[in-house]
Structures are given as C-alpha cells and as structure tokens.
C-alpha cells in the first residue's frame, strides 16, 4: 500500500532554514509527481509546491524564491528546502501523491518563531 512518511519539521527562528523529507513506498516513485501542502492553525490546507516525475517544479506565490522542491528517485524521497522562513510559514507540512486516489503522510510540524 502507498505510504508517505514526512520528517524534518522543527522550531526555527524567522530567517532560518529547514529541509523536510518525505519517504515514499508502495508505488513506482519515479513515475509520479509529488506535492507538498501545508495547513496552518485555523486555515484550510494549501498547496505549496509540486515536482514532476522529472525535474520540473512549481511553487505557490507565497513561497516562490524561498522554497525548493527536489526528489531523489534512488531513495524514493522528495524534499522541501525552506529558506528565509517567516512566521506565516508556521504549519503542518504534508506530502501528497495521486496514485489512483490521493495519499497523504501524517505531516510534520514547522514552527517559525523567535
């Protein structure tokens, strides 16, 4: 079965950096686009970034220029490098894949605060 396991969330000061990881299993990883979403307290889940099965990447305007999505197909892992973090980036971050249906990981908490 499809499984997604995120890690790397932490408490970080404004202006800091974090790298999130999502390890995937249960499907042919290198054939599918992968996506990061986030959900802040009291808000709806929102799309953050997508990487194609190749290397094409797409970003929400709110993170463009600060976040970088990448993938390592040999490790079945997708990453989200987050730089210049802001308090508004505080959220639970989820990775997602559509393989027949939508699959989500359990999420990893990112808190940006001084």
């Amino acid at each position: 079965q499809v499984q997604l396991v995120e890690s790397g969330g932490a408490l970080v000061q404004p202006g800091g950096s974090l790298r999130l990881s999502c390890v995937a299993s249960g499907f042919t990883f290198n054939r599918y686009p992968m996506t990061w979403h986030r959900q802040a307290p009291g808000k709806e889940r929102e799309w953050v970034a997508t990487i194609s099965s190749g290397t094409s990447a797409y970003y929400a305007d709110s993170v463009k220029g600060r976040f970088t999505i990448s993938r390592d197909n040999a490790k079945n892992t997708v990453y989200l490098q987050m730089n210049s973090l802001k308090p508004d980036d505080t959220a639970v971050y989820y990775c997602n894949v559509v393989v027949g249906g939508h699959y989500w990981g359990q999420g990893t908490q990112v808190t940006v605060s001084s």
Side-chain angles (χ1 to χ4, degrees), residues 21-87:
S21 301
C22 172
V23 179
S25 60
F27 63 101
T28 307
F29 180 78
N30 61 11
R31 293 185 181 177
Y32 292 88
M34 297 294 297
T35 297
W36 285 96
H37 288 72
R38 67 186 181 185
Q39 187 165 18
K43 295 187 178 181
E44 294 188 352
R45 193 171 296 189
E46 65 173 356
W47 170 71
V48 173
T50 295
I51 187 165
S52 70
S53 56
T55 57
S56 298
Y58 310 90
Y59 300 94
D61 287 344
S62 59
V63 307
K64 200 172 294 182
R66 301 187 297 122
F67 290 10
T68 303
I69 189 171
S70 62
R71 65 191 298 158
D72 184 338
N73 289 336
K75 295 182 178 180
N76 281 11
T77 301
V78 60
Y79 302 99
L80 187 67
Q81 177 67 43
M82 306 186 295
N83 298 329
S84 302
L85 283 162
K86 306 174 181 179

Side-chain angles (χ1 to χ4, degrees), residues 7-12 17-20 36 38-41 67 80 82 85-94 107-113:
S7 63
L11 170 64
V12 63
S17 298
L18 282 175
R19 189 177 79 156
L20 306 183
W36 285 96
R38 67 186 181 185
Q39 187 165 18
F67 290 10
L80 187 67
M82 306 186 295
L85 283 162
K86 306 174 181 179
D88 284 350
D89 296 318
T90 295
V92 179
Y93 284 71
Y94 300 89
T108 187
Q109 176 70 49
V110 173
T111 302
V112 185
S113 175

